[in-house]
Amino acid sequence: DPYSSDPVRHPALRINSLKPFNAEPPPEILSDSYITPSAIFFKRNHLPVPQVDPDSYQLRVEGLSEGVLMLSLKDLKTKFKKHTITATLQCAGNRRSEMNKVKQVKGLNWGIAAISNATWSGARLRDVLMDAGYYPDVSQWARHVQFEGLDKDVTGTTYGASIPLNKAISEDGDVLLAYEMNGEDLPADHGYPVRVIVPGTVGARNVKWLGKIIVSAEESHSHWQQNDYKGFSPGTDWDTVDFKSAPAIQELPIQSAITMPADGAVVDRSDEEVTIKGYAWSGGGREVVRVDVSVDGGKTWQVAQLRSSEKEQAPAPSPPPGQAWAWKLWEVTAPLPQEAQELEIVCKAVDNSYNMQPDTVSPIWNLRGVLSNAWHRVKVKVRE
Ligand code: MTE
Ligand code: MO
């Protein structure tokens, strides 16, 4: 069993698939902490977790003028300045289960918690590329930076993905070769000893157990870059889809969801009000500037209180424009509408480009169930 050396996992995780391991935390735990504890951070593996010996680990960097550069874990930690960022990772398939209700899609049936937020520390990819001989003329022929994981399938094929070279090399891009998560060594499930963190970019490009970096004229040839993680029209189905016709997902669209109360929960009329909590995030470093919440299915709205640090009392300063990599947690207390026996609670977020979420799922349905970001709705009963 290639999965026999997979690590032990937190029992609270909701398992989507055991081999490979895919799991998300219960939503109400997710919004308990601004920084998601690593043990309950969602886990998305396509393959068995590789066991990597930190002493013999070598990262291979190729495609630049210095030829091949090999870096040990110690080299990464000592030759390059250590940077720390707080960044949210979201799987392209987060909230896929809502698309499944409209019409069946292919993929893991994620709820609303294939998203989590952590601090990441490591060397800047930019600094490593500079050390490997990057010079501005490289961008005349190179367009992409490819990453290969050390996790393999039975045929020896490794996980792989790529990002645009300009994101990789930009000073403001904050792409890290991370060796720490939440102040500790990366856990096995999250890419020990080194993973790429591409803030603002879909989870799939944040390659774990990083083995190789290739500066290239072409995108990664991997299945996951070429024939997966792409968006299509609701009118496209498996008999008509041409994966070459759509770009690979990189930056993700605006997103928000309600973590509390849960769908089907019951509130007491005598409480007179209901407290609603959730998360909101946008890709590409766009900052969430507002979350609107309704308890009557979208007829009337209230603005939620946003939180961007562990404690509301100590708000974090706003990040520079284009570098809002971390989510916001939000909360609002709404009076119970008189006589309603059931509430339809709805949330929608707005980012600083005034991007907003679509109101329903049908117009954004796609065969792979990715980019599922319609207004999130939960129904709650009122007990008299
Ligand atoms: N990297 C490798 N090497 N293998 C993988 O299976 N999964 C990707 C990405 N990086 C994956 C990978 C996907 S699809 C996602 S959403 C994120 O890792 C999940 O990261 P996490 O497990 O740390 O939450
Ligand atoms: Mo993913």
Side-chain angles (χ1 to χ4, degrees):
D1 174 7
Y3 294 93
S4 58
S5 52
D6 266 26
V8 175
R9 279 99 179 196
H10 197 284
L13 288 168
R14 291 189 182 159
I15 297 170
N16 253 317
S17 130
L18 202 53
K19 299 175 181 185
F21 192 75
N22 287 285
E24 63 190 295
E28 60 280 11
I29 297 185
L30 190 63
S31 57
D32 267 352
S33 42
Y34 183 73
I35 300 290
T36 315
S38 304
I40 61 149
F41 197 101
F42 85 97
K43 304 182 199 307
R44 204 282 178 249
N45 299 337
H46 292 81
L47 299 162
V49 174
Q51 285 185 294
V52 186
D53 170 19
D55 297 323
S56 57
Y57 173 81
Q58 292 277 328
L59 173 62
R60 188 183 164 95
V61 187
E62 56 181 67
L64 290 167
S65 59
E66 305 285 292
V68 173
L69 177 69
M70 299 295 284
L71 294 168
S72 69
L73 185 57
K74 192 171 164 217
D75 291 337
L76 267 180
K77 290 184 176 179
T78 57
K79 286 175 119 183
F80 306 94
K81 191 167 172 250
K82 182 176 174 180
H83 287 269
T84 299
I85 60 168
T86 302
T88 297
L89 280 191
Q90 180 179 212
C91 184
N94 188 32
R95 301 182 61 195
R96 179 178 283 129
S97 56
E98 292 160 67
M99 280 199 177
N100 251 325
K101 285 181 196 149
V102 170
K103 186 180 160 197
Q104 174 114 51
V105 297
K106 248 184 223 168
L108 294 162
N109 204 31
W110 293 111
I112 63 163
I115 183 170
S116 301
N117 189 50
T119 65
W120 310 93
S121 308
R124 272 198 176 138
L125 174 59
R126 173 187 160 82
D127 295 346
V128 170
L129 293 180
M130 292 292 190
D131 196 52
Y134 179 89
Y135 57 101
D137 278 6
V138 168
S139 58
Q140 305 243 310
W141 60 269
R143 284 282 180 274
H144 306 277
V145 179
Q146 305 181 9
F147 307 115
E148 273 182 36
L150 294 166
D151 47 339
K152 300 184 180 74
D153 68 11
V154 283
T155 70
T157 307
T158 54
Y159 185 83
S162 60
I163 60 169
L165 175 63
N166 59 0
K167 170 72 175 170
I169 209 71
S170 146
E171 289 199 54
D172 304 332
D174 284 342
V175 181
L176 295 187
L177 304 181
Y179 43 77
E180 283 177 18
M181 175 182 190
N182 294 338
E184 292 172 354
D185 285 353
L186 285 180
D189 266 326
H190 297 288
Y192 182 81
V194 178
R195 81 175 300 170
V196 192
I197 290 295
V198 192
T201 294
V202 64
R205 315 300 171 216
N206 292 247
V207 174
K208 307 193 272 191
W209 313 290
L210 184 65
K212 208 193 264 187
I213 299 173
I214 308 163
V215 177
S216 160
E218 290 159 20
E219 286 189 87
S220 165
H221 299 285
S222 85
H223 167 79
W224 299 278
Q225 190 79 20
Q226 300 289 336
N227 295 322
D228 204 352
Y229 297 116
K230 293 185 173 189
F232 293 96
S233 161
T236 301
D237 220 325
W238 291 100
D239 51 347
T240 53
V241 65
D242 172 14
F243 270 90
K244 281 187 202 63
S245 68
I249 301 169
Q250 296 284 349
E251 294 180 358
L252 283 171
I254 178 85
Q255 177 68 288
S256 71
I258 300 156
T259 54
M260 276 206 350
D263 195 44
V266 178
V267 297
D268 275 312
R269 167 74 61 204
S270 60
D271 289 345
E272 289 171 7
E273 51 186 33
V274 55
T275 296
I276 306 153
K277 291 186 187 184
Y279 65 75
W281 179 76
S282 190
R286 290 175 287 274
E287 184 172 5
V288 169
V289 294
R290 200 183 77 225
V291 173
D292 301 324
V293 180
S294 170
V295 294
D296 55 13
K299 287 193 206 75
T300 62
W301 298 90
Q302 255 178 274
V303 176
Q305 190 90 41
L306 303 180
R307 177 149 71 91
S308 52
S309 66
E310 206 60 74
K311 294 229 158 34
E312 265 171 89
Q313 291 75 6
S318 224
Q323 289 180 293
W325 310 129
W327 68 10
K328 297 200 180 175
L329 296 180
W330 54 263
E331 187 172 325
V332 68
T333 300
L336 292 181
Q338 274 166 20
E339 278 158 40
Q341 287 161 359
E342 190 182 58
L343 312 180
E344 190 188 0
I345 308 178
V346 187
C347 77
K348 61 183 178 85
V350 185
D351 71 19
N352 63 348
S353 299
Y354 285 101
N355 291 304
M356 300 181 202
Q357 299 171 251
D359 56 348
T360 55
V361 181
S362 300
I364 57 165
W365 183 95
N366 61 88
L367 74 179
R368 273 295 270 123
V370 292
L371 307 166
S372 182
N373 72 332
W375 297 0
H376 188 223
R377 297 161 193 267
V378 304
K379 288 202 168 130
V380 168
K381 290 222 157 48
V382 181
R383 186 166 38 208
E384 297 301 331

